[in-house]
Amino acid sequence: MTGPGRADEYRRMARLRCDVVADSLGLATSVTVLLPQPSRTRIGGGVRDLDTPPPVLYLLHGLSDDDTAWTRYTSVERYADELGLAVVMPQVHRSFYTDQAYGGRYRTWVTEELPALVARFFRVSADPAETFVAGLSMGGYGALSWALSEPDRFAAAASLSGALDLAALAAGPPREEDPRIWERIFDGAPVAGSDADLFALLDRLDPGAAPALYVCAGTEDPLHPQSVRFAERARAAGVAVTSSFGPGEHEWGYWEARIRDVLDWLPLPR
C-alpha cells in the first residue's frame, strides 16, 4: 500500500502524439512525447517525487523512421518511466536535421521552435544540467550537431550508430532510394569544414564548455568507422567522450540494448 504523500505515488508515463504547426517548416508535423505521471494504481511502477519538473531528453530518429519509431521498436517508455525522464521525439523526415537548400528548415524547427513549444505546452525542466539529446543513425548526427553547436544547452549528448561523417557520405555514391538527397540538402556546397561537419565543429569547440558525449556503434555496422574516428578526434580535442564499440549491426536489436546504456549513463538526478 502507498501512503498519501506525492513521493509515495507510483509513476507511469503519459504518451502523447502531438500534431502541431511548425512555422519554420510552413506545415503541420508531429512530435511524440513521454511524460512522467503520478499514479496510485499502476502495477509494476517505481517511485519518485514528481513535485519538480522532470529532466528532458530530446531523442532523434533515423533516416527511414519517424517520431514514433523509438516507442514502437524499443522499450524506451519503460526505461524513461524508471528514471522519471521526459522524452521528446520530433519528426524530421529525411532532412539530416538541417535547414535544407531545397526543402524545410528542419534544423530551425528542432533547435529553436520545438524547445519553445515544449516549454509552452509541457512542464519539464528548463535547466541545461537536466537537458539531454540523443539519436540513432541520422539522429546521432543530429544530436551531436546540435550539442556541439550549442553546448551550453545540454549536459550530455549521445550518438547510437551515428552517420557522423557527412562530408564522406555526401561525396560517396548516391543512395538508391533517394539519389538526390545531398543535392536537396546542400545544393553542391562543400560539407567539409562547414557548420554541417561534426569534425570541424569539434575543432572549434571549447573543450571546457562541451557537454559529456557518448558514442557507440556495432562493429558489423558500415557506419562503425565514422563513430570510431569521431570518438578519437573528440578525445584528441580534450572533449570527454564515453565510447562503446562491441558487436552489433545497424538494427533495432542493437539500439534497444544501447538506449538503456545511454539512459544509465546520463547524469540524471538520482
Side-chain angles (χ1 to χ4, degrees):
M1 298 291 290
T2 60
R6 287 183 59 87
D8 293 325
E9 292 175 327
Y10 285 108
R11 287 196 317 271
R12 64 176 301 161
M13 296 296 277
R15 181 169 61 181
L16 300 85
R17 182 92 188 276
C18 305
D19 298 317
V20 300
V21 174
D23 288 336
S24 49
L25 302 177
L27 51 76
T29 188
S30 297
V31 184
T32 297
V33 181
L34 304 176
L35 293 172
Q37 175 187 352
S39 171
R40 293 181 178 276
T41 57
R42 160 77 180 275
I43 296 173
V47 178
R48 181 180 182 270
D49 185 354
L50 294 178
D51 282 336
T52 58
V56 59
L57 169 67
Y58 289 88
L59 187 58
L60 309 183
H61 70 73
L63 185 65
S64 61
D65 298 321
D66 63 14
D67 58 294
T68 68
W70 277 107
T71 55
R72 290 165 62 202
Y73 302 130
T74 78
S75 296
V76 67
E77 180 173 347
R78 180 162 55 88
Y79 304 151
D81 179 18
E82 294 169 0
L83 298 169
L85 175 69
V87 184
V88 177
M89 295 162 281
Q91 166 121 263
V92 303
H93 303 286
R94 301 172 66 87
S95 67
F96 265 86
Y97 298 85
T98 63
D99 287 349
Q100 299 174 302
Y102 302 108
R105 295 188 296 151
Y106 285 93
R107 181 175 182 83
T108 301
W109 155 236
V110 169
T111 66
E112 298 181 20
E113 192 172 356
L114 176 64
L117 287 177
V118 169
R120 177 182 290 270
F121 292 162
F122 306 113
R123 183 175 176 268
V124 299
S125 178
D127 185 351
E130 295 185 333
T131 305
F132 317 100
V133 61
L136 69 86
S137 195
M138 178 186 76
Y141 169 81
L144 295 187
S145 175
W146 190 3
L148 296 180
S149 300
E150 300 183 83
D152 59 329
R153 295 181 69 167
F154 302 100
S159 166
L160 296 80
S161 311
L164 304 186
D165 191 345
L166 242 59
L169 291 173
R175 297 188 65 91
E176 181 178 355
E177 84 287 2
D178 194 356
R180 304 185 73 176
I181 184 172
W182 303 117
E183 178 183 353
R184 185 172 68 248
I185 293 175
F186 296 118
D187 190 25
V191 178
S194 73
D195 288 343
D197 182 355
L198 296 185
F199 295 88
L201 292 178
L202 274 177
D203 291 340
R204 299 170 194 158
L205 183 67
D206 174 6
L213 301 182
Y214 183 103
V215 177
C216 67
T219 50
E220 289 71 49
D221 189 328
L223 294 179
H224 169 260
Q226 298 186 14
S227 290
V228 173
R229 289 201 306 274
F230 179 88
E232 291 173 346
R233 180 73 72 87
R235 291 192 182 97
V239 177
V241 57
T242 299
S243 59
S244 173
F245 297 125
E249 299 181 1
H250 203 77
E251 53 84 32
W252 280 104
Y254 179 81
W255 300 322
E256 160 69 21
R258 297 290 81 74
I259 191 59
R260 186 65 183 265
D261 293 342
V262 168
L263 295 179
D264 288 343
W265 166 82
L266 289 179
L268 291 166
R270 304 291 179 174

